[in-house]
Amino acid sequence: MKGKGASALSKNDTNIKKVIKDLQKRSEKSLKVAKDAVLGMKVESREINEALKHYTRNWNDYVHPGLMSIACEAVGGNPNEAVPMQAVMLILTAAADIHDDIIDESKTKYGKPTVFGKFGKDIALLVGDALLVKALTFLHELKNRFSEEKL
């Protein structure tokens, strides 16, 4: 019995690794688009620019866009066409993540300093707000790129 349990656990670990790898692959393009959009923001504050760079260096959300890709494919869509919307979702969740760190006063995550932990409450709040505005602006731009049906 011991051997069967270990074998099933090993198979589950293998399956989990496959799922994670698939989600990461499905998220590569949208994460790059999101990072480029955030780093391309024109901000006059050196400290806010540093905070944006800090966040993007540690940004590796593959679950949200990966699931959106799977959902798009499940209804017969082309997952590549979902990349811009995945990027919007990534930027929105990044804004929420930063705001959540302020509320929770989380100074570190996964052993690395959060924007709040490294730059303080004021900068973190401004960065979170800037990401929220960027995501909503990006979403508005998508409205002009796709038909209402596709949106």
Side-chain angles (χ1 to χ4, degrees):
M1 193 70 171
K2 213 177 211 182
K4 286 183 182 181
S7 175
L9 188 59
S10 175
K11 185 173 172 87
N12 285 340
D13 288 347
T14 301
N15 288 337
I16 289 169
K17 287 177 184 175
K18 284 180 184 177
V19 168
I20 290 171
K21 189 174 181 178
D22 183 47
L23 290 172
Q24 288 171 330
K25 180 139 182 69
R26 289 173 174 272
S27 301
E28 285 174 353
K29 291 177 188 173
S30 59
L31 191 56
K32 181 178 179 351
V33 169
K35 286 181 179 185
D36 289 348
V38 167
L39 293 174
M41 292 169 49
K42 295 191 186 329
V43 181
E44 291 182 23
S45 166
R46 180 195 56 75
E47 200 169 13
I48 290 175
N49 282 319
E50 286 302 313
L52 288 167
K53 287 178 191 171
H54 172 74
Y55 190 85
T56 57
R57 275 193 299 269
N58 299 304
W59 195 6
N60 196 25
D61 180 358
Y62 54 84
V63 175
H64 293 103
L67 290 174
M68 185 180 277
S69 172
I70 291 169
C72 179
E73 194 173 301
V75 296
N78 177 351
N80 287 325
E81 290 180 7
V83 168
M85 189 57 89
Q86 289 171 307
V88 168
M89 182 187 296
L90 280 163
I91 299 169
L92 280 172
T93 57
D97 184 41
I98 292 170
H99 285 147
D100 181 66
D101 289 342
I102 295 167
I103 292 165
D104 296 344
E105 297 183 357
S106 300
K107 295 190 181 230
T108 61
K109 232 181 229 176
Y110 310 112
K112 297 178 181 176
T114 61
V115 172
F116 170 74
K118 186 168 182 166
F119 297 93
K121 182 179 179 180
D122 293 342
I123 294 296
L125 185 60
L126 291 171
V127 168
D129 289 352
L131 292 177
L132 183 59
V133 169
K134 180 62 179 175
L136 294 174
T137 302
F138 198 2
L139 184 59
H140 178 72
E141 291 168 2
L142 288 180
K143 181 181 155 212
N144 299 325
R145 286 178 53 189
F146 294 102
S147 68
E148 198 169 306
E149 182 181 299
K150 281 220 184 212
L151 284 173

